[in-house]
Amino acid sequence: MLMSNVVSEAEFEVNQLIFVAPVGDAQPMVGKVLEVRAGDALHVYLRVYWMYWPEDLPGGRQPHHGDSELIASNHMDIIEALTVSDKAEVVHWDEDPDKSAWPMKDQLFWRQTYDLGKPAASRLSVRQNPVYMAVR
């Protein structure tokens, strides 16, 4: 397993967040690199966990979701490194003002997780009293 690799001037590292080129008019997908494997410079593959936009999950975007909010998941895929369009800057926000500041208006952030291994009704982690992020 490689910890990092370079493809067409782009370097990939474990734990790096990336944008993956969208299909059609969709928003770019965001993934977290878990592993980098390469046969050679033209055959580089990334194992990623996906981060979802709220509207891409069952139930869709809710009033408490911020405009720049993503939801981390344990949905894993292997993708070709050539599908990566850019690095992504995403911060974790734990909703505790003593531990972390509010995300900036256009800052991508995540605070919830989506577990594909759980029954459908309990896949999304939700706080008892969610903090609403209606920042426009």
Side-chain angles (χ1 to χ4, degrees), residues 43-76:
H43 298 92
V44 179
Y45 300 92
L46 309 173
R47 185 166 54 102
V48 298
Y49 271 151
W50 292 114
M51 300 190 88
Y52 286 99
W53 300 100
E55 53 271 17
D56 295 334
L57 293 175
R61 183 171 287 279
Q62 300 297 312
H64 65 271
H65 289 130
D67 291 343
S68 301
E69 186 164 0
L70 294 164
I71 298 170
S73 81
N74 60 349
H75 176 190
M76 190 182 333

Short mmCIF file of all heavy atoms in Angstrom, two decimals, residues 43-76:
data_model
loop_
_atom_site.label_atom_id
_atom_site.label_comp_id
_atom_site.label_asym_id
_atom_site.label_seq_id
_atom_site.Cartn_x
_atom_site.Cartn_y
_atom_site.Cartn_z
N HIS A 43 -1.82 4.03 -13.98
CA HIS A 43 -2.80 3.14 -13.36
C HIS A 43 -2.76 3.30 -11.84
O HIS A 43 -2.20 2.47 -11.13
CB HIS A 43 -2.52 1.68 -13.75
CG HIS A 43 -2.63 1.46 -15.22
ND1 HIS A 43 -1.55 1.56 -16.06
CD2 HIS A 43 -3.70 1.18 -15.99
CE1 HIS A 43 -1.94 1.32 -17.29
NE2 HIS A 43 -3.25 1.10 -17.28
N VAL A 44 -3.35 4.42 -11.38
CA VAL A 44 -3.38 4.73 -9.96
C VAL A 44 -4.84 4.68 -9.50
O VAL A 44 -5.73 5.23 -10.15
CB VAL A 44 -2.79 6.14 -9.68
CG1 VAL A 44 -2.86 6.47 -8.20
CG2 VAL A 44 -1.35 6.21 -10.19
N TYR A 45 -5.05 3.99 -8.38
CA TYR A 45 -6.39 3.80 -7.86
C TYR A 45 -6.45 4.27 -6.41
O TYR A 45 -5.49 4.13 -5.66
CB TYR A 45 -6.81 2.33 -7.96
CG TYR A 45 -6.79 1.86 -9.39
CD1 TYR A 45 -5.66 1.28 -9.94
CD2 TYR A 45 -7.90 2.05 -10.21
CE1 TYR A 45 -5.63 0.87 -11.26
CE2 TYR A 45 -7.89 1.66 -11.53
CZ TYR A 45 -6.75 1.07 -12.06
OH TYR A 45 -6.73 0.69 -13.37
N LEU A 46 -7.60 4.82 -6.04
CA LEU A 46 -7.81 5.33 -4.69
C LEU A 46 -8.99 4.60 -4.07
O LEU A 46 -10.03 4.45 -4.71
CB LEU A 46 -8.13 6.83 -4.72
CG LEU A 46 -7.17 7.72 -5.52
CD1 LEU A 46 -7.72 9.14 -5.58
CD2 LEU A 46 -5.79 7.70 -4.92
N ARG A 47 -8.82 4.16 -2.84
CA ARG A 47 -9.95 3.63 -2.07
C ARG A 47 -10.45 4.80 -1.25
O ARG A 47 -9.69 5.44 -0.53
CB ARG A 47 -9.52 2.47 -1.17
CG ARG A 47 -10.69 1.81 -0.45
CD ARG A 47 -10.30 0.47 0.16
NE ARG A 47 -9.14 0.55 1.01
CZ ARG A 47 -9.18 0.57 2.34
NH1 ARG A 47 -10.33 0.54 2.98
NH2 ARG A 47 -8.07 0.62 3.04
N VAL A 48 -11.75 5.11 -1.38
CA VAL A 48 -12.30 6.30 -0.72
C VAL A 48 -13.56 5.97 0.07
O VAL A 48 -14.28 5.02 -0.25
CB VAL A 48 -12.65 7.41 -1.75
CG1 VAL A 48 -11.43 7.89 -2.48
CG2 VAL A 48 -13.72 6.96 -2.72
N TYR A 49 -13.79 6.76 1.12
CA TYR A 49 -15.09 6.85 1.79
C TYR A 49 -15.77 8.06 1.19
O TYR A 49 -15.15 9.12 1.04
CB TYR A 49 -14.93 7.10 3.30
CG TYR A 49 -14.80 5.90 4.18
CD1 TYR A 49 -14.09 5.98 5.36
CD2 TYR A 49 -15.41 4.69 3.87
CE1 TYR A 49 -13.96 4.90 6.21
CE2 TYR A 49 -15.29 3.59 4.72
CZ TYR A 49 -14.56 3.71 5.88
OH TYR A 49 -14.44 2.63 6.71
N TRP A 50 -17.05 7.95 0.87
CA TRP A 50 -17.78 9.06 0.29
C TRP A 50 -18.39 9.96 1.35
O TRP A 50 -18.82 9.49 2.40
CB TRP A 50 -18.89 8.55 -0.62
CG TRP A 50 -18.38 7.89 -1.86
CD1 TRP A 50 -18.51 6.57 -2.18
CD2 TRP A 50 -17.64 8.48 -2.91
NE1 TRP A 50 -17.89 6.32 -3.37
CE2 TRP A 50 -17.34 7.46 -3.85
CE3 TRP A 50 -17.18 9.77 -3.17
CZ2 TRP A 50 -16.63 7.71 -5.02
CZ3 TRP A 50 -16.46 10.01 -4.33
CH2 TRP A 50 -16.20 8.99 -5.24
N MET A 51 -18.43 11.23 1.03
CA MET A 51 -19.17 12.21 1.82
C MET A 51 -20.34 12.63 0.94
O MET A 51 -20.17 12.89 -0.25
CB MET A 51 -18.29 13.40 2.17
CG MET A 51 -17.08 12.98 2.99
SD MET A 51 -16.17 14.36 3.67
CE MET A 51 -17.05 14.54 5.20
N TYR A 52 -21.54 12.64 1.53
CA TYR A 52 -22.74 12.94 0.76
C TYR A 52 -23.22 14.37 0.98
O TYR A 52 -23.10 14.91 2.07
CB TYR A 52 -23.88 12.02 1.20
CG TYR A 52 -23.75 10.60 0.71
CD1 TYR A 52 -23.24 9.60 1.54
CD2 TYR A 52 -24.14 10.26 -0.57
CE1 TYR A 52 -23.13 8.30 1.10
CE2 TYR A 52 -24.03 8.96 -1.02
CZ TYR A 52 -23.53 7.98 -0.19
OH TYR A 52 -23.42 6.70 -0.63
N TRP A 53 -23.81 14.95 -0.06
CA TRP A 53 -24.58 16.17 0.07
C TRP A 53 -25.91 15.72 0.68
O TRP A 53 -26.43 14.66 0.33
CB TRP A 53 -24.80 16.83 -1.29
CG TRP A 53 -23.51 17.20 -1.97
CD1 TRP A 53 -22.90 16.51 -2.97
CD2 TRP A 53 -22.68 18.32 -1.70
NE1 TRP A 53 -21.74 17.14 -3.33
CE2 TRP A 53 -21.58 18.26 -2.57
CE3 TRP A 53 -22.76 19.39 -0.80
CZ2 TRP A 53 -20.57 19.21 -2.58
CZ3 TRP A 53 -21.75 20.34 -0.81
CH2 TRP A 53 -20.67 20.25 -1.70
N PRO A 54 -26.50 16.48 1.60
CA PRO A 54 -27.75 16.05 2.24
C PRO A 54 -28.85 15.66 1.25
O PRO A 54 -29.58 14.70 1.48
CB PRO A 54 -28.16 17.25 3.08
CG PRO A 54 -26.87 17.94 3.39
CD PRO A 54 -26.03 17.76 2.15
N GLU A 55 -28.96 16.37 0.14
CA GLU A 55 -30.03 16.05 -0.81
C GLU A 55 -29.84 14.71 -1.51
O GLU A 55 -30.76 14.20 -2.14
CB GLU A 55 -30.21 17.18 -1.85
CG GLU A 55 -28.97 17.59 -2.58
CD GLU A 55 -28.19 18.69 -1.88
OE1 GLU A 55 -28.39 18.96 -0.68
OE2 GLU A 55 -27.34 19.29 -2.56
N ASP A 56 -28.67 14.11 -1.39
CA ASP A 56 -28.41 12.81 -2.01
C ASP A 56 -28.77 11.63 -1.10
O ASP A 56 -28.61 10.48 -1.50
CB ASP A 56 -26.94 12.70 -2.41
CG ASP A 56 -26.58 13.69 -3.51
OD1 ASP A 56 -27.49 14.08 -4.28
OD2 ASP A 56 -25.40 14.07 -3.60
N LEU A 57 -29.23 11.91 0.11
CA LEU A 57 -29.59 10.85 1.06
C LEU A 57 -31.10 10.76 1.20
O LEU A 57 -31.82 11.72 0.92
CB LEU A 57 -28.96 11.13 2.43
CG LEU A 57 -27.44 11.06 2.48
CD1 LEU A 57 -26.95 11.47 3.85
CD2 LEU A 57 -26.97 9.65 2.15
N PRO A 58 -31.59 9.59 1.67
CA PRO A 58 -33.04 9.49 1.93
C PRO A 58 -33.47 10.59 2.91
O PRO A 58 -32.78 10.87 3.87
CB PRO A 58 -33.18 8.11 2.57
CG PRO A 58 -31.99 7.34 2.11
CD PRO A 58 -30.88 8.36 1.98
N GLY A 59 -34.58 11.21 2.63
CA GLY A 59 -35.05 12.32 3.47
C GLY A 59 -34.59 13.66 2.96
O GLY A 59 -35.15 14.69 3.31
N GLY A 60 -33.53 13.68 2.15
CA GLY A 60 -33.07 14.91 1.52
C GLY A 60 -32.55 15.96 2.49
O GLY A 60 -32.32 15.71 3.66
N ARG A 61 -32.36 17.15 1.96
CA ARG A 61 -31.87 18.28 2.74
C ARG A 61 -32.94 18.71 3.73
O ARG A 61 -34.09 18.85 3.38
CB ARG A 61 -31.49 19.44 1.82
CG ARG A 61 -30.89 20.63 2.56
CD ARG A 61 -30.35 21.65 1.58
NE ARG A 61 -29.12 21.20 0.95
CZ ARG A 61 -27.91 21.27 1.51
NH1 ARG A 61 -27.77 21.75 2.73
NH2 ARG A 61 -26.85 20.84 0.86
N GLN A 62 -32.54 18.90 4.98
CA GLN A 62 -33.44 19.30 6.06
C GLN A 62 -33.13 20.74 6.46
O GLN A 62 -32.07 21.27 6.15
CB GLN A 62 -33.26 18.37 7.26
CG GLN A 62 -33.54 16.90 6.96
CD GLN A 62 -34.98 16.66 6.53
OE1 GLN A 62 -35.90 17.14 7.19
NE2 GLN A 62 -35.16 15.95 5.43
N PRO A 63 -34.06 21.38 7.19
CA PRO A 63 -33.84 22.78 7.58
C PRO A 63 -32.56 23.00 8.40
O PRO A 63 -31.97 24.09 8.34
CB PRO A 63 -35.07 23.11 8.44
CG PRO A 63 -36.12 22.17 7.99
CD PRO A 63 -35.38 20.91 7.59
N HIS A 64 -32.09 21.99 9.14
CA HIS A 64 -30.89 22.18 9.96
C HIS A 64 -29.59 22.00 9.19
O HIS A 64 -28.52 22.24 9.73
CB HIS A 64 -30.92 21.24 11.18
CG HIS A 64 -30.86 19.79 10.83
ND1 HIS A 64 -31.98 19.05 10.58
CD2 HIS A 64 -29.81 18.96 10.68
CE1 HIS A 64 -31.64 17.80 10.31
NE2 HIS A 64 -30.32 17.73 10.35
N HIS A 65 -29.66 21.58 7.92
CA HIS A 65 -28.44 21.42 7.13
C HIS A 65 -27.95 22.77 6.63
O HIS A 65 -28.72 23.56 6.10
CB HIS A 65 -28.67 20.50 5.94
CG HIS A 65 -28.85 19.08 6.31
ND1 HIS A 65 -29.90 18.31 5.87
CD2 HIS A 65 -28.12 18.27 7.11
CE1 HIS A 65 -29.80 17.10 6.37
NE2 HIS A 65 -28.72 17.05 7.13
N GLY A 66 -26.67 23.01 6.81
CA GLY A 66 -26.06 24.23 6.27
C GLY A 66 -25.89 24.12 4.77
O GLY A 66 -25.86 23.02 4.20
N ASP A 67 -25.75 25.26 4.10
CA ASP A 67 -25.58 25.28 2.64
C ASP A 67 -24.34 24.50 2.20
O ASP A 67 -24.33 23.91 1.13
CB ASP A 67 -25.46 26.72 2.14
CG ASP A 67 -26.75 27.49 2.26
OD1 ASP A 67 -27.82 26.86 2.42
OD2 ASP A 67 -26.69 28.73 2.21
N SER A 68 -23.30 24.50 3.01
CA SER A 68 -22.03 23.85 2.65
C SER A 68 -21.81 22.57 3.44
O SER A 68 -20.68 22.12 3.60
CB SER A 68 -20.87 24.82 2.90
OG SER A 68 -21.05 25.99 2.15
N GLU A 69 -22.88 21.98 3.94
CA GLU A 69 -22.76 20.80 4.79
C GLU A 69 -22.69 19.51 3.97
O GLU A 69 -23.42 19.32 3.00
CB GLU A 69 -23.93 20.71 5.76
CG GLU A 69 -23.80 19.59 6.75
CD GLU A 69 -24.73 19.73 7.95
OE1 GLU A 69 -25.49 20.71 8.02
OE2 GLU A 69 -24.65 18.86 8.82
N LEU A 70 -21.80 18.64 4.39
CA LEU A 70 -21.67 17.29 3.86
C LEU A 70 -21.94 16.31 4.99
O LEU A 70 -21.88 16.67 6.17
CB LEU A 70 -20.26 17.05 3.32
CG LEU A 70 -19.86 17.89 2.11
CD1 LEU A 70 -18.35 17.86 1.93
CD2 LEU A 70 -20.56 17.39 0.87
N ILE A 71 -22.21 15.06 4.65
CA ILE A 71 -22.42 14.01 5.64
C ILE A 71 -21.45 12.89 5.35
O ILE A 71 -21.45 12.32 4.26
CB ILE A 71 -23.88 13.53 5.62
CG1 ILE A 71 -24.81 14.70 5.98
CG2 ILE A 71 -24.08 12.36 6.57
CD1 ILE A 71 -26.27 14.46 5.76
N ALA A 72 -20.59 12.59 6.32
CA ALA A 72 -19.58 11.54 6.16
C ALA A 72 -20.27 10.18 6.17
O ALA A 72 -21.25 9.98 6.87
CB ALA A 72 -18.55 11.63 7.29
N SER A 73 -19.74 9.25 5.40
CA SER A 73 -20.34 7.91 5.35
C SER A 73 -19.26 6.84 5.39
O SER A 73 -18.07 7.12 5.25
CB SER A 73 -21.18 7.74 4.08
OG SER A 73 -20.36 7.44 2.97
N ASN A 74 -19.72 5.60 5.53
CA ASN A 74 -18.80 4.47 5.43
C ASN A 74 -18.99 3.75 4.10
O ASN A 74 -18.59 2.60 3.95
CB ASN A 74 -19.01 3.50 6.61
CG ASN A 74 -20.40 2.94 6.66
OD1 ASN A 74 -21.31 3.38 5.97
ND2 ASN A 74 -20.60 1.95 7.52
N HIS A 75 -19.58 4.44 3.11
CA HIS A 75 -19.72 3.91 1.76
C HIS A 75 -18.35 4.01 1.09
O HIS A 75 -17.82 5.09 0.91
CB HIS A 75 -20.76 4.72 0.99
CG HIS A 75 -20.90 4.32 -0.44
ND1 HIS A 75 -21.63 5.06 -1.33
CD2 HIS A 75 -20.42 3.27 -1.14
CE1 HIS A 75 -21.58 4.48 -2.52
NE2 HIS A 75 -20.84 3.40 -2.42
N MET A 76 -17.81 2.86 0.73
CA MET A 76 -16.44 2.80 0.22
C MET A 76 -16.45 2.35 -1.24
O MET A 76 -17.23 1.49 -1.63
CB MET A 76 -15.65 1.80 1.06
CG MET A 76 -14.18 1.81 0.81
SD MET A 76 -13.25 0.59 1.77
CE MET A 76 -14.20 0.33 3.23
#
